[in-house]
Amino acid sequence: MRLIFLGPPGAGKGTQAKLLTERHGIPQLSTGDMLRAAVAAGTDVGKRAKAVMDAGQLVSDAIVNEIVSDRIDSPDCARGFILDGYPRTVPQAEALDGILAGKGIALDAVIELKVDEDALVKRMENRVAETIAAGGTVRSDDNPEAFKRRLTEYREKTAPLSSYYASTGKLQTVDGMADVDKVTAEIAGILENA
């Protein structure tokens, strides 16, 4: 099972990926986690990424693509993986296609969680209020202004992936505004037919 989850921040990608990871024993691969692991392991690509990050710059697509390629080669990915937050752009998607083709691997599905952005902002505001009421710590980017900026960035850079993957026949959409169990059931149905 090799999947990509698409959808804006707060759409529920992480929740659904976690459920699939628990059910099927395949890892959820997030770019941030992969970058940190490569840096911590001191791999060649991790050292290059660290130098770029230490200089306060963004890690290039070439480095991110190499880290993803190395991670997919890990033994725990032999039965599959879920990509969450990668690819972020069409050039990254094209690079991923080349990486997978070179390994003789095909994606089973690209699942996009469709959501109403205004409802997402309200959802985020409720989550922040609940976290504060429970005495928890709120992430610095969990505020309406920062969240709206993240949604705008998603729309500009990542949303074009929908058209890209639709053209490959891999894109499946799910109503991300439904309750978690209904979304999980829809995803299960897609995977059964993949």
Side-chain angles (χ1 to χ4, degrees):
M1 183 184 308
R2 294 170 183 96
L3 309 173
I4 294 174
F5 274 135
L6 295 179
K13 300 180 303 292
T15 298
Q16 293 301 324
K18 183 173 185 250
L19 292 168
L20 285 172
T21 294
E22 291 168 357
R23 185 171 298 119
H24 298 285
I26 59 173
Q28 172 188 2
L29 308 181
S30 100
T31 318
D33 292 344
M34 288 185 278
L35 272 168
R36 285 186 288 279
V39 168
T43 64
D44 288 341
V45 71
K47 289 175 186 170
R48 282 185 277 138
K50 183 177 184 328
V52 171
M53 292 186 295
D54 287 351
Q57 299 171 335
L58 291 176
V59 177
S60 70
D61 278 1
I63 290 175
V64 172
N65 295 338
E66 190 175 340
I67 286 172
V68 170
S69 178
D70 288 352
R71 181 66 180 91
I72 289 171
D73 289 337
S74 300
D76 66 333
C77 291
R79 292 181 47 237
F81 51 82
I82 302 162
L83 289 168
D84 172 14
Y86 176 90
R88 285 191 188 276
T89 63
V90 170
Q92 283 185 348
E94 292 167 343
L96 178 62
D97 288 346
I99 291 166
L100 295 176
K103 298 175 186 300
I105 295 172
L107 287 172
D108 293 303
V110 177
I111 299 173
E112 181 177 24
L113 299 177
K114 291 280 201 179
V115 293
D116 174 274
E117 289 188 7
D118 291 334
L120 276 186
V121 172
K122 292 213 181 324
R123 213 188 251 182
M124 184 274 307
E125 290 169 343
N126 290 340
R127 187 177 68 227
V128 167
E130 289 169 5
T131 301
I132 291 169
T137 305
V138 177
R139 288 176 25 179
S140 61
D141 61 351
D142 264 356
N143 66 68
E145 296 75 33
F147 190 70
K148 286 175 186 170
R149 279 194 302 275
R150 289 167 54 207
L151 288 174
T152 299
E153 183 175 336
Y154 175 83
R155 239 186 342 269
E156 292 171 356
K157 295 181 180 172
T158 309
L161 288 172
S162 297
S163 298
Y164 178 80
Y165 282 115
S167 72
T168 68
K170 294 284 185 200
L171 185 70
Q172 301 286 329
T173 58
V174 172
D175 177 7
M177 298 308 294
D179 68 54
V180 172
D181 292 339
K182 187 169 189 312
V183 173
T184 302
E186 275 194 60
I187 291 171
I190 289 168
L191 297 177
E192 285 172 16
N193 298 314

